[in-house]
């Protein structure tokens, strides 16, 4: 529910994480860490999945008409190819 209700935050973390990974030459992003009943859960995105993940982010930001984020995402997609 948290991620569904906080899409802007979640996708924002993904965008910033991918930008940092590109800058640092890293191919795996840790997006978020949280605990469920004493179990640590880490959501990661591998470089092979960045385009698909950014495409989901793009669809979200298009749906809320945040076109500045859309341009930023399209630039990242082009940099990954």
């Amino acid at each position: 529910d948290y991620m569904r209700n906080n899409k802007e935050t979640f996708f924002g973390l993904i965008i910033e994480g991918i930008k940092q990974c590109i800058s640092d030459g890293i191919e795996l992003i840790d997006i978020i860490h949280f605990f469920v009943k004493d179990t640590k859960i880490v959501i990661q995105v591998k470089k092979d999945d960045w385009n698909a993940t950014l495409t989901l982010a793009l669809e979200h930001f298009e749906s809320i008409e945040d076109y500045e984020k859309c341009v930023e995402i399209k630039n990242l997609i082009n940099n990954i190819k």
Side-chain angles (χ1 to χ4, degrees):
D1 283 337
Y2 174 80
M3 287 184 269
R4 234 181 317 214
N5 295 328
N6 295 284
K7 289 181 182 179
E8 285 82 19
T9 301
F10 186 67
F11 284 127
L13 290 170
I14 291 170
I15 292 165
E16 292 305 313
I18 290 173
K19 288 187 336 189
Q20 187 65 47
C21 285
I22 290 170
S23 174
D24 294 345
I26 299 170
E27 297 191 0
L28 182 66
I29 309 166
D30 285 355
I31 300 298
I32 192 168
H33 297 233
F34 57 95
F35 288 88
V36 176
K37 294 186 179 182
D38 298 328
T39 301
K40 183 177 181 179
I41 298 173
V42 180
I43 297 177
Q44 298 177 316
V45 181
K46 296 177 188 176
K47 186 175 182 179
D48 292 342
D49 298 321
W50 291 357
N51 279 331
T53 305
L54 287 171
T55 299
L56 291 173
L58 180 61
E59 291 170 3
H60 170 72
F61 286 109
E62 285 175 340
S63 74
I64 62 168
E65 299 180 1
D66 186 341
Y67 299 116
E68 289 180 29
K69 277 287 187 203
C70 292
V71 170
E72 181 179 5
I73 294 167
K74 287 179 182 181
N75 287 336
L76 277 174
I77 291 171
N78 289 333
N79 285 335
I80 294 169
K81 292 181 180 180

